[in-house]
Amino acid sequence: MTSFDLAAQPLRDLNRALHGIADGDNRTAWEILNPRGAHAVAVGVNQPVDITVKGNVGYYCAGMNEAATITIEGSAGPGLAENIMSGTVRVKGDASQYAAATGHGGLVVIEGNASSRCGISMKGVDIVVGGNVGHMSAFMGQAGHLVVLGDAGDGLGDSIYEAELFVRGTVKSLGADCIRKEMDEAHIATLAGLLAKAGFDADPASFKRYGSARKLYHFNVDHADAY
Amino acid sequence: MTTKTPPQFSATFDDYTQAEIRRAAATGIYDIRGGGAKRKVPHFDDLLVLGASMSRYPLEGYRERCDTDVMLGSRYAEKPIHLKIPITIAGMSFGSLSGPAKEALGRGATLAGTSTTTGDGGMTDEERGHSERLVYQLLPSRYGMNPRDLRRADAIEVVVGQGAKPGGGGMLLGQKISARVASMRTLPEGIDQRSACRHPDWTGPDDLAIKITELREITDWQVPIFIKVGASRPYYDTALAVKAGADVVVLDGMQGGTAATQAVFIENVGLPTLAAIRPAVQALQDLGVHREVQLVISGGIRSGADVAKALALGADAVSIGSAALTAIGDNDPKWEADYQALGTTAGAYDDWHEGRDPAGITTQDPELAARLDPVAAGRRLANYLSVMTMEAQTIARACGHNHVHNMEPEDLVALTIEAAAMAGVPLAGTDWIPGKTRF
Ligand SMILES: Cc1cc2nc3c(=O)[nH]c(=O)nc-3n(C[C@H](O)[C@H](O)[C@H](O)COP(=O)(O)O)c2cc1C
């Protein structure tokens, strides 16, 4: 285990050290002590290493992650795992706004609640939230899956493209062009897979599925007020 | 003798305005087009350079040195960008432009020793390969954004806005969403694509400062970070960009081109380039960072005279979009028959969003795109950049400066009261700067 204490060493050294991990490096397990809400912790990591952050983090923790498995033993500030490409980011607590924003791939698991705009502009990432998500989640979601075990706030999936949303609880309101869709066997299987990967024990059949009505895909004057 | 008055046309409801009303009534959709503001606004043409006289002596043309190089990003970046000329190529997306057009821009910029910039849609290998210095844009849409490209960029430009549409997002209509463009943007092929007008993961300048820290941490503080804003509140926007940690501020006036936006937006929102420069420079001076944080000006730059005047007003470099497209062949009269078939004429063609560009530049149609030879077009761009640079040097030498950056506001006068007020230089033949000195 390689240990890095943010109370004693600067953030810049941490990220440089993480970027310096070479292919086949034997330092595959890292722990980061005393994050104390620091921003940009463990960003741009691109090796399949395990990183555990012992405490709460500020903005953009695990930003643009590729391949690494990052676990935050605390809560995360805005922009958790923004633009994640691959790998897994798990938050034991809650996450603030725009969690997994624009994520292209990989898995983001938030065991607690996520605030507004969770999965905004998501481009292929899978997001599983144990609690609730705030308003405008999955806004303009292009691809990937957002699974919410609790409730969703206002405007879920507004202006959504091809992302798929599964919500077990209530949805306060759906955004423009987002509609409830049927759950067939294939969707249940996808959802079961996501729940299993994220480590949640929930019945996929108890979720509802939402996605794009595809009415905003080509400009139509009669839908002008939805743009 | 007739008692009838001759037909009288309204200045307010002129032919163009009436045609627009009829078009709106028939279609129910606003006009979308490419390019920048077409209306006449105060511009560099309204300024003149004084040249040397009794109190200043000029430098010998072609004999005495007049340097043109510029360093961008020396504030924080370990590897600032060194340009041989103070003219860069602005961000224009692959998607709005064809692959060969992007390649031509990269080739031309590289030959001239300057940088080019990606755009809304990500970085292509061709573009990276042909551009010695490439600036990678981080836009609200984040199409194609990824850490690998971030690390292979020579600078990162956070786009807050563009002069053609400060406060507006992007759009790329279905005709241009080819399979390749769609896959780079993770979108279904052929749909009308909207790009957001706000960044998804930060809102104000305080957040942006943290965002920039993240980008620097991801790239180990190696490359400069630019912030691009459309000209609207240049003093405060520049000050806030400096506060947010920018190495370079890119300020784009309302004449600045766009790939496609509502015409009403292009013509009515934002400030002319001329009006934006002095407040931005003032902000840098007030913060004590003029020349330490570089200012790049764009929007309607066409010639070496424009470059010299922009630098004299305090910019460190300029950036060109529309002029670069013209140099590589956009709106060339040799395609006149094709322009006519599209209901327009060479020089006025601006339906770039439709993807039917006869010159093969603003298109994704492989047949049209093949009309542009990227090697020859790159050469043309390099020639044009070289002419602009020599022109700017000619003017700087005539003012007695051994570097184009030594041009100063005192080298300029204005032809109109408006330009004098905006540029903060005296009206020609007077010592009157409206708003600053008494007439
Ligand atoms: C075809 C085209 C595409 C553009 N795409 C982008 C873009 O993706 N991102 C951006 O920040 N600006 C974009 N712009 C604006 C340019 O970066 C630049 O601000 C502008 O062209 C400068 O003004 P000029 O055209 O008068 O030289 C685009 C401009 C054009 C003409």
Side-chain angles (χ1 to χ4, degrees):
Chain A
M1 174 80 71
T2 309
S3 194
F4 198 101
D5 186 354
L6 276 175
Q9 291 162 282
L11 177 75
R12 221 183 273 197
D13 292 357
L14 167 67
N15 284 317
R16 269 186 210 249
L18 293 171
H19 301 160
I21 302 171
D23 288 342
D25 205 308
N26 60 11
R27 294 171 302 164
T28 53
W30 291 65
E31 68 174 4
I32 299 168
L33 308 173
N34 295 308
R36 297 185 192 164
H39 306 313
V41 172
V43 293
V45 182
N46 60 357
Q47 290 287 343
V49 292
D50 268 294
I51 301 171
T52 304
V53 185
K54 301 274 194 189
N56 302 323
V57 289
Y59 282 57
Y60 310 125
C61 181
M64 301 214 187
N65 186 56
E66 273 185 292
T69 299
I70 301 180
T71 305
I72 296 149
E73 294 185 344
S75 290
L80 166 79
E82 65 85 22
N83 214 79
I84 178 174
M85 305 302 292
S86 60
T88 302
V89 174
R90 177 182 293 272
V91 180
K92 298 275 187 186
D94 301 317
S96 184
Q97 304 174 83
Y98 354 106
T102 75
H104 285 72
L107 175 69
V108 176
V109 182
I110 297 156
E111 295 189 359
N113 302 304
S115 180
S116 58
R117 299 188 166 82
C118 177
I120 182 171
S121 280
M122 54 196 284
K123 298 172 178 17
V125 62
D126 292 327
I127 309 169
V128 184
V129 181
N132 307 323
V133 294
H135 66 265
M136 296 297 268
S137 287
F139 174 60
M140 291 183 101
Q142 295 172 225
H145 303 92
L146 171 65
V147 180
V148 182
L149 279 81
D151 304 330
D154 271 321
L156 178 73
D158 194 284
S159 304
I160 191 168
Y161 292 102
E162 292 299 310
E164 277 199 334
L165 318 178
F166 299 99
V167 182
R168 185 164 66 170
T170 59
V171 172
K172 197 153 176 223
S173 67
L174 291 172
D177 215 30
C178 185
I179 53 169
R180 182 160 168 205
K181 297 194 160 183
E182 259 170 58
M183 280 277 258
D184 64 22
E185 295 291 302
H187 301 123
I188 291 191
T190 303
L191 178 55
L194 290 166
L195 289 165
K197 261 205 301 188
F200 285 107
D201 183 18
D203 175 11
S206 62
F207 286 71
K208 296 187 183 85
R209 184 171 79 100
Y210 305 88
S212 181
R214 305 190 178 103
K215 291 219 169 92
L216 299 182
Y217 277 14
H218 292 281
F219 185 84
N220 176 335
V221 65
D222 299 322
H223 300 142
D225 55 355
Y227 282 88
Chain B
M1 176 160 170
T2 171
T3 54
K4 283 185 79 174
T5 55
Q8 185 182 13
F9 290 99
S10 164
T12 307
F13 291 90
D14 61 13
D15 282 355
Y16 186 82
T17 307
Q18 293 191 52
E20 259 309 293
I21 293 172
R22 282 189 286 270
R23 197 200 51 75
T27 63
I29 181 168
Y30 40 51
D31 182 29
I32 294 175
R33 66 169 176 84
K38 291 192 167 184
R39 63 153 82 201
K40 195 166 168 52
V41 292
H43 199 38
F44 295 112
D45 293 337
D46 300 310
L47 301 182
L48 293 175
V49 180
L50 290 177
S53 55
M54 291 287 279
S55 57
R56 301 173 175 225
Y57 67 91
L59 299 185
E60 201 63 67
Y62 308 110
R63 290 278 178 281
E64 289 176 305
R65 274 180 72 171
C66 177
D67 293 334
T68 58
D69 63 319
V70 49
M71 192 72 100
L72 297 180
S74 45
R75 186 186 188 194
Y76 292 122
E78 284 182 20
K79 293 184 190 149
I81 301 195
H82 185 247
L83 306 177
K84 290 190 187 143
I85 61 172
I87 309 160
T88 68
I89 306 302
M92 295 182 270
S93 65
F94 168 71
S96 76
L97 300 185
S98 67
K102 285 299 278 178
E103 181 183 330
L105 295 176
R107 286 176 178 275
T110 300
L111 283 171
T114 191
S115 60
T116 186
T117 314
T118 66
D120 200 1
M123 187 189 287
T124 64
D125 286 338
E126 297 98 303
E127 183 174 28
R128 177 62 275 191
H130 292 290
S131 310
E132 205 172 291
R133 303 167 187 82
L134 183 61
V135 182
Y136 185 35
Q137 288 196 327
L138 180 95
L139 293 117
S141 69
R142 306 282 165 88
Y143 292 134
M145 170 52 56
N146 72 77
R148 272 153 296 173
D149 289 340
L150 208 58
R151 285 189 208 100
R152 63 179 182 152
D154 300 297
I156 300 162
E157 180 167 293
V158 180
V159 180
V160 177
Q162 274 177 247
K165 45 177 179 181
M171 55 177 86
L172 199 61
L173 300 190
Q175 300 92 310
K176 288 175 86 169
I177 308 285
S178 66
R180 184 172 181 208
V181 173
S183 90
M184 279 179 73
R185 299 182 187 219
T186 331
L187 285 171
E189 213 177 309
I191 69 163
D192 293 349
Q193 167 257 290
R194 301 152 275 154
S195 338
C197 64
R198 276 202 329 250
H199 280 263
D201 58 354
W202 60 270
T203 36
D206 294 332
D207 280 8
L208 177 54
I210 305 172
K211 182 76 203 168
I212 286 180
T213 305
E214 184 209 5
L215 296 171
R216 292 202 194 275
E217 286 292 328
I218 291 174
T219 52
D220 292 325
W221 293 73
Q222 297 291 304
V223 299
I225 299 197
F226 301 6
I227 296 181
K228 175 175 180 175
V229 290
S232 58
R233 297 176 187 82
Y235 182 87
Y236 292 107
D237 287 344
T238 304
L240 290 169
V242 170
K243 186 198 166 266
D247 291 298
V248 174
V249 179
V250 181
L251 181 61
D252 189 28
M254 74 179 288
Q255 301 99 310
T258 172
T261 296
Q262 299 91 327
V264 68
F265 208 151
I266 301 177
E267 295 290 353
N268 293 285
V269 183
L271 292 187
T273 306
L274 188 69
I277 305 177
R278 287 312 285 278
V281 171
Q282 190 65 52
L284 296 173
Q285 287 169 340
D286 289 352
L287 293 168
V289 294
H290 186 217
R291 304 293 183 208
E292 182 193 342
V293 172
Q294 289 81 30
L295 178 66
V296 179
I297 291 293
S298 58
I301 302 283
R302 306 149 299 177
S303 65
D306 291 350
V307 177
K309 292 169 187 176
L311 299 190
L313 292 175
D316 294 275
V318 302
S319 190
I320 58 168
S322 304
L325 299 187
T326 306
I328 66 173
D330 176 57
N331 266 296
D332 192 320
K334 79 175 177 194
W335 305 111
E336 180 60 18
D338 293 10
Y339 289 118
Q340 293 281 340
L342 295 172
T344 183
T345 184
Y349 176 65
D350 59 14
D351 285 328
W352 297 345
H353 55 287
E354 291 178 350
R356 294 191 287 169
D357 185 358
I361 295 170
T362 56
T363 184
Q364 292 303 320
D365 176 324
E367 267 176 43
L368 288 172
R371 289 183 172 189
L372 188 83
D373 171 357
V375 178
R379 184 69 253 172
R380 292 169 61 87
L381 177 59
N383 288 346
Y384 169 60
L385 288 168
S386 153
V387 169
M388 286 175 98
T389 306
M390 289 189 291
E391 288 175 343
Q393 280 174 307
T394 302
I395 290 176
R397 280 200 186 93
C399 295
H401 300 307
N402 62 5
H403 195 295
V404 288
H405 282 156
N406 295 342
M407 295 283 299
E408 51 191 350
E410 288 68 25
D411 290 318
L412 301 174
V413 291
L415 283 170
T416 66
I417 296 174
E418 288 83 353
M422 290 177 188
V425 300
L427 185 66
T430 77
D431 57 4
W432 183 37
I433 303 176
K436 293 219 171 109
T437 57
R438 289 174 67 90
F439 185 60

